[in-house]
Amino acid sequence: LDPDPDELGTLGGGQATRAIHPWFGVALIVSFALLFVRFWRLNIPNKDDVEWSKRIGDVVTNREDRLPELGKYNVGQKGVFWGQSALILIMFFTG
């Protein structure tokens, strides 16, 4: 016999989970907003990012001496930052 998930008592069961869920969402959006404010300037794409992307072969073959200086984050990291920002906003507004 498989137990009913609401009867397992995880986080207090279904009622407690439904009550806690919105608060986790608020904590997520507040903590991410603080990180966003701190890091958004470092993640603005620039012309060096385009050049770095064109030389992806040098990245893969570890010829970093041929690559432009990017600063703190590379194109992939900046893409993850902006993608995560968009997805968190979508998740927040859609519930």
Side-chain angles (χ1 to χ4, degrees):
L1 233 188
D2 290 330
D4 182 5
D6 287 337
E7 293 177 9
L8 291 177
T10 307
L11 295 177
Q15 293 293 337
T17 303
R18 281 188 282 281
I20 293 170
H21 182 263
W23 294 106
F24 278 108
V26 170
L28 171 72
I29 200 73
V30 168
S31 62
F32 189 76
L34 294 171
L35 285 173
F36 183 88
V37 167
R38 182 174 178 187
F39 293 114
W40 75 271
R41 284 185 187 95
L42 295 170
N43 285 286
I44 296 174
N46 58 42
K47 63 181 176 63
D48 290 332
D49 293 324
V50 174
E51 186 62 32
W52 189 90
S53 296
K54 289 178 182 177
R55 297 182 183 187
I56 194 70
D58 291 332
V59 174
V60 173
T61 57
N62 202 25
R63 294 186 298 233
E64 294 184 18
D65 55 318
R66 299 181 182 184
L67 299 171
E69 285 294 323
L70 291 181
K72 189 163 179 86
Y73 301 114
N74 67 37
V75 178
Q77 292 166 318
K78 290 177 181 181
V80 168
F81 175 83
W82 292 109
Q84 184 178 14
S85 299
L87 290 173
I88 286 176
L89 284 175
I90 290 168
M91 187 170 58
F92 179 75
F93 285 112
T94 62

